[in-house]
Each structure stands twice: as structure tokens, then as C-alpha cells.
Amino acid sequence: MSDTALRGEFLSTIDWWREAGIDTLVEEEARDWLAAARPAPAPAASPAAATAKAPASVPATLDAIAAFYAEDAMFGRPDGRLLPQGDAASGLMLLADQPEPGDDEAGQIIGGEVGRLFDRMLAAIGRDRASIYLTTMTPVRVPGGRPESAALARWTEIARAHVSIAAPRLLLLLGDAATRAFIGTSLADARGRVHSLNLGGHNVRAMATFHPRFLLQQPARKADAWRDLRLLLEELGQ
């Protein structure tokens, strides 16, 4: 194509831009439109990539777990955090997904009206809060009660390490969220039997039952929860 023809094509393009309402070039410097295209420069590494940190390590002792729950920034606000409660050597560990509304003010995991039902459930199997090990997957309640998937994945990683370190004779999972995190199925599918979990090379027996919160909302399911507790007693008696 001759220079005259190229000039005609160029002017035609300019006219089309003008009709489309474009009256200025978007670049500050003039460009030689007839010059050969230059290779694009390699993208520079972003500051985030340059300063990315290695994945956070998993605490390796019960004291380190408690310190992690008390101090780590991933849980947001530093006040009102509820650390594991009870006796880690009791042999029975109970785990829920997160504290209940108002637990932080009460200073107690599963407190208030839900907690009163929970205490009656413990009494029915000859236990109390001092003779179990009670914890949640996060020390603070998430606004709205629904964590983001990335946060839930990290909670689960720490919680599984926590159970492995505590090495209870039996782990009782309270509610659907905790059940899915550990057993990988819904509460409805997990109830009624004992599961063997391999957590960091340690085998832990686990069961699942309703969270006391659910039983307050659905009192008719208390009979099903009692069947779960009787199975728990049988397993602890072995």
C-alpha cells in the first residue's frame, strides 16, 4: 500500500473517531502510527506479590492455640474473645463453630438461655463444664453469623490441629457447621454413629449432635439429641 493510500486510511479513521465524539488523543505524547509495533514491556511485580508472606503456621501446643485465639488479627476485634474452657484432660471435647450472640458479654461459650439447656444436657450424662473441654472454631462471633469461605478454611485448619493436640477420647461436634468442617457431611448424615478422624496422624473418635441453640428452636428434636448422648455414654464407657 502506498503512502498516499495509508494517509487516506488514517484520515478516514480520524473522521470516524470525530463522528464518535472523540476529539483528543488519550496519550500525552504523539505516536508514529506507521512505525512497527513495539513489544510490550514485561509486567512489573506487584507490591502485594513482592511482600507476600508465607502461609501462617499452625500452633503446636494447647498454650499456643490459646495464644493464637487471643492474639491473632484474623479474628478481628481483640476484645471479647472466648478461649477454650474446661479441662483438656477430661477426655471429652465439645466443639461448636462460633460463640452465640451475647457469649462475649457473659464471658462463657454457649451462655444465656442456650447455655442453660446445654448445662442440662451435660448433667444428663453426668458431666458439667468443669469436666469437659469446650471450644469453638473461632473465639469471636462473625457479624451475621456467616463467615467467608477463606476464613472458614483457616478456622478449620486451626481447629483440626487443636483437636489433634488435645487428643480427647471422644470429640462431640455441635451443629451442622462444625460437623461439615470435621466429618465432611451434613449433621443429618453424620448423626447416630461414631466416626474415626485422622487429624495430623492422630486418630480421634468423633460424634455429631444438635447444637443446643437448635434444640431451643425445635424442642421435638430433644429425643433425638438424647439418643446421641446415650451413644456418647456408651462410647466413653468402652
Side-chain angles (χ1 to χ4, degrees):
M1 184 180 291
S2 66
D3 290 346
T4 301
L6 284 174
R7 179 179 176 80
E9 291 287 341
F10 176 72
L11 292 176
S12 176
T13 301
I14 294 296
D15 289 338
W16 185 90
W17 283 348
R18 185 179 296 113
E19 291 176 4
I22 301 173
D23 55 8
T24 59
L25 294 174
V26 297
E27 296 180 337
E28 295 182 357
E29 297 181 2
R31 173 182 295 190
D32 183 356
W33 292 97
L34 301 180
R38 300 176 184 176
S46 67
T51 59
K53 297 181 180 178
S57 60
V58 176
T61 67
L62 290 180
D63 287 343
I65 289 284
F68 180 86
Y69 284 147
E71 301 168 4
D72 198 275
M74 73 169 288
F75 299 113
R77 58 187 178 87
D79 60 312
R81 297 190 182 191
L82 293 170
L83 306 185
Q85 300 171 353
D87 182 7
S90 66
L92 177 59
M93 183 173 184
L94 283 76
L95 185 144
D97 59 335
Q98 57 185 316
E100 294 295 289
D103 281 1
D104 56 342
E105 297 176 1
Q108 185 179 61
I109 299 173
I110 310 182
E113 185 180 5
V114 177
R116 288 188 285 275
L117 175 57
F118 178 62
D119 290 338
R120 293 196 295 272
M121 293 171 66
L122 292 179
I125 59 172
R127 298 269 182 155
D128 57 20
R129 291 176 183 260
S131 58
I132 63 166
Y133 187 47
L134 177 62
T135 190
T136 50
M137 295 172 64
T138 169
V140 295
R141 184 171 181 81
V142 173
R146 294 185 177 275
E148 296 181 355
S149 57
L152 182 58
R154 181 60 172 158
W155 291 4
T156 301
E157 180 185 23
I158 300 301
R160 291 174 72 89
H162 189 178
V163 175
S164 176
I165 296 165
R169 290 180 58 197
L170 189 64
L171 170 68
L172 182 61
L173 299 164
L174 301 174
D176 189 75
T179 300
R180 289 180 182 275
F182 275 80
I183 298 178
T185 65
S186 68
L187 174 61
D189 291 336
R191 284 187 55 249
R193 63 187 189 276
V194 179
H195 303 262
S196 180
L197 307 179
N198 187 333
L199 304 176
H202 296 87
N203 289 321
V204 175
R205 293 185 301 165
M207 292 179 52
T209 193
F210 303 103
H211 194 290
R213 174 201 336 108
F214 176 82
L215 296 176
L216 277 183
Q217 300 166 351
Q218 302 287 336
R221 303 307 299 269
K222 289 181 180 179
D224 294 328
W226 173 235
R227 281 191 283 271
D228 295 337
L229 294 178
R230 284 191 296 179
L231 178 58
L232 180 146
L233 283 174
E234 292 175 6
E235 288 299 312
L236 288 175
Q238 293 181 7

